[in-house]
Amino acid sequence: MTGVLGLVRLILRRDRIVLPLWIVFLAVIPISFVSSYGDLFPTPESRLSYANNAGFITLYGELGGTSLGEFVTWRLGFVPLIVGLIGLLTVIRHTRVEEETGRSELLGSSVVGRHAGLAAALLTSFGANLVLGVLIALGMQSQDQPLAGSVALGLEFASTGWLFAAVGAVAAQLTANSGTARGIAIGVLGASFVLRAAGDTSAHTDGPLAWLSWLSPVGWAQRIHPYGANRWWLGGLMLAATVVLVVVAVQLAVRRDVGSGLLPARLGPAEGRLGSPFGLAWRLHRGLLAAWTVAFALLGLLFGSVAEGVGDMMRDDPQIQKIFERLGGAGALIDSFLVGVMTITGLIASAYAVQATLRLRAEESSGRAEPVLATATSRLHWVASHLVFTLLGPAIALLASGIAAGLAYGSAVGDVGGQLPRLIGSALIQLPAVWLLGALTLALFGLIPRASQAAWAGPSVCLLIGLLGAGVQLAPWIKDISPYTHLPQLPGGSVSAVPLVVLLAITAALTALGLTTLRHRDLPTS
């Protein structure tokens, strides 16, 4: 473990801006929800009526109780997923990416222990999540919430971050490619959400699959039930699972060489048959495209199948009708729900766009771009071969999501022909915002290639604005930062060409900036 503290200081120095930002943003969200939802849902009956439907249970889980603290905890059900995502991305960035670029080998030639890099990445992520948990606990107590429940809520967030940081550590040992490692870890996170959603939805309808929630770490965290049961033993289960995963990661690290993964790399054909840069880009992106498309189809199927249940609470409860009149959605509650879930789908699609664009940086920093550019291939031709997947990849994935949601919801209400085009349109209308964030990634790659990873801040900021905007009255200029704020609210809303044209114009300008700066800068190899 020699050199761990020095590597921790290095990681903190490199993440000195991003790390404090996400901690502060995520710590503010629960505090802001207390006052806003306390005013909006002042009685236990209104909270129960709002939460007691299959659509919201799919998104946020089951409501543990009707106190304000329990209601806020339930409404924050999507935020622990963000904490887990940040945790796993942080660990992979400071382990597998460091090996992929050769920096860990350089550090390893000094007085640094074999497991120092992995230990430093985990300690940094664990410490950041601990700080987040403490800030959440203190913040909720400052809003006159019970101390025990506030500590339990902090434990829910922190333990989720710890566990998925450990998942990222295991994924980093399995493959030599950082993109594949991210895909494995994010796949585990997504599967945890789907298992929790399927189990809770089944339990709500007295179905036979309620046990699925107990297979999900996300389900364990949410069943701590802060401000209610305060099941501390589930926090202990999360910590035990984290310890097991860390031990597994260390054991796997011992069994592989530096720079390699345990999963064998698939060998290509004995004779190369790639006749163009696009053919190479297709080979590099096809697995990612297939995985994202399948995931989006499943997500659309899940959201579409529970959409009908969202309208039940308005038909049965006049009080909840008044609440949604205050929210502006009494006339089209199901459409409002579909707008929300399609916006979430669009935000996830922006992560795909960022990941596909950052493939350019991975090819450049690993030295694989040089042999391609040594041929008659120009830089613009090389970049364009990858940008095809930045543009068309999210479009295909969103189309799959819209089709799946339209078929599921249309079948439930007996109107497939009417709902299918509406939900396809709702999915594809997210593309201008998705493409803008992809273009921002390209601009960063062209201007400051070493800062390309900062492009992940784009989807993160948009998601945080969406979460905060759902609970508090943000200043208009803050909402306007997110391109998703300017999209038409489909289905159910009207379409205006002006914001779409503006978003596409900004996308074109950022793309031009990225391409121009890429043409005139040096090509670094590390």
Side-chain angles (χ1 to χ4, degrees):
M1 291 297 183
T2 304
V4 170
L5 293 181
L7 291 178
V8 169
R9 288 195 295 270
L10 177 61
I11 293 173
L12 291 175
R13 183 174 181 273
R14 293 176 62 189
D15 291 353
R16 62 187 179 276
I17 297 176
V18 175
L19 200 62
L21 279 178
W22 75 256
I23 290 174
V24 170
F25 270 122
L26 292 177
V28 166
I29 291 175
I31 301 171
S32 65
F33 275 21
V34 172
S35 58
S36 58
Y37 282 112
D39 295 337
L40 196 59
F41 301 95
T43 64
E45 292 76 16
S46 63
R47 297 165 194 157
L48 183 60
S49 297
Y50 178 86
N52 190 30
N53 73 90
F56 290 149
I57 287 172
T58 299
L59 288 177
Y60 308 125
E62 291 188 284
L63 182 65
T66 57
S67 69
L68 179 58
E70 290 170 301
F71 184 78
V72 168
T73 300
W74 169 80
R75 187 56 181 79
L76 292 167
F78 211 81
V79 179
L81 291 171
I82 304 173
V83 178
L85 178 63
I86 294 172
L88 66 89
L89 290 177
T90 299
V91 171
I92 291 174
R93 179 189 176 210
H94 293 293
T95 53
R96 174 49 59 188
V97 173
E98 294 299 286
E99 289 191 42
E100 193 175 22
T101 58
R103 287 192 290 266
S104 63
E105 190 172 3
L106 178 63
L107 291 171
S109 64
S110 62
V111 186
V112 174
R114 177 181 179 87
H115 301 299
L118 176 60
L122 286 171
L123 285 174
T124 303
S125 183
F126 290 168
N129 282 286
L130 178 61
V131 171
L132 173 63
V134 170
L135 290 178
I136 288 174
L138 294 175
M140 292 296 286
Q141 190 185 14
S142 71
Q143 300 298 306
D144 297 325
Q145 296 301 307
L147 176 60
S150 299
V151 174
L153 181 60
L155 176 62
E156 177 183 332
F157 278 63
S159 61
T160 304
W162 292 337
L163 190 144
F164 284 101
V167 169
V170 173
Q173 314 310 316
L174 298 178
T175 174
N177 181 270
S178 60
T180 306
R182 292 190 193 100
I184 293 171
I186 293 173
V188 173
L189 179 65
S192 298
F193 169 73
V194 171
L195 286 171
R196 196 279 306 154
D200 286 358
T201 304
S202 181
H204 180 68
T205 57
D206 296 324
L209 300 178
W211 56 272
L212 288 176
S213 296
W214 288 100
L215 300 179
S216 167
V218 175
W220 301 345
Q222 291 186 347
R223 277 165 172 71
I224 294 175
H225 288 319
Y227 304 105
N230 290 333
R231 295 171 178 162
W232 304 103
W233 67 271
L234 282 172
L237 179 61
M238 296 281 287
L239 294 178
T242 301
V243 171
V244 170
L245 288 170
V246 170
V247 172
V248 170
V250 172
Q251 293 300 316
L252 294 178
V254 173
R255 299 174 184 273
R256 67 177 181 85
D257 294 329
V258 175
S260 66
L262 287 176
L263 298 178
R266 187 175 61 179
L267 298 178
E271 297 181 4
R273 299 180 183 276
L274 298 177
S276 67
F278 178 77
L280 176 60
W282 165 250
R283 287 287 186 92
L284 295 173
H285 286 272
R286 63 185 180 182
L288 190 67
L289 175 61
W292 277 95
T293 302
V294 171
F296 269 65
L298 293 174
L299 196 63
L301 186 64
L302 177 66
F303 287 148
S305 62
V306 302
E308 185 187 15
V310 176
D312 293 342
M313 60 179 156
M314 283 189 58
R315 289 190 287 268
D316 300 335
D317 193 332
Q319 185 178 10
I320 206 70
Q321 291 182 23
K322 295 179 180 180
I323 291 174
F324 275 98
E325 287 174 0
R326 293 172 59 189
L327 292 173
L333 177 58
I334 295 179
D335 281 351
S336 298
F337 171 77
L338 291 171
V339 168
V341 297
M342 283 303 174
T343 300
I344 292 173
T345 306
L347 282 164
I348 298 172
S350 69
Y352 177 20
V354 170
Q355 185 178 9
T357 309
L358 286 177
R359 185 77 200 201
L360 289 164
R361 175 58 181 166
E363 293 297 294
E364 182 185 61
S365 60
S366 65
R368 293 189 294 267
E370 286 186 275
V372 177
L373 295 175
T375 66
T377 302
S378 67
R379 291 193 184 191
L380 292 184
H381 194 185
W382 171 65
V383 173
S385 67
H386 289 272
L387 290 185
V388 168
F389 296 92
T390 302
L391 296 174
L392 295 184
I396 294 172
L398 284 169
L399 178 62
S401 179
I403 291 174
L407 291 174
Y409 178 54
S411 299
V413 299
D415 184 23
V416 174
Q419 298 302 327
L420 184 60
R422 294 177 77 238
L423 287 175
I424 290 177
S426 179
L428 294 181
I429 204 67
Q430 311 297 322
L431 283 174
V434 173
W435 288 340
L436 190 151
L437 293 176
L440 177 62
T441 307
L442 178 64
L444 279 172
F445 171 66
L447 281 168
I448 318 172
R450 291 183 181 274
S452 298
Q453 295 295 328
W456 288 108
S460 301
V461 169
C462 292
L463 182 57
L464 288 172
I465 290 174
L467 289 171
L468 285 172
V472 298
Q473 295 296 322
L474 293 176
W477 68 269
I478 297 178
K479 290 184 179 181
D480 288 343
I481 294 174
S482 172
Y484 292 89
T485 304
H486 307 281
L487 295 176
Q489 301 296 294
L490 298 179
S494 59
V495 178
S496 174
V498 174
L500 300 179
V501 171
V502 172
L503 290 176
L504 291 174
I506 296 173
T507 300
L510 289 172
T511 301
L513 175 63
L515 295 175
T516 302
T517 51
L518 177 63
R519 289 185 63 190
H520 292 91
R521 69 168 172 81
D522 293 332
L523 189 70
T525 57
S526 63

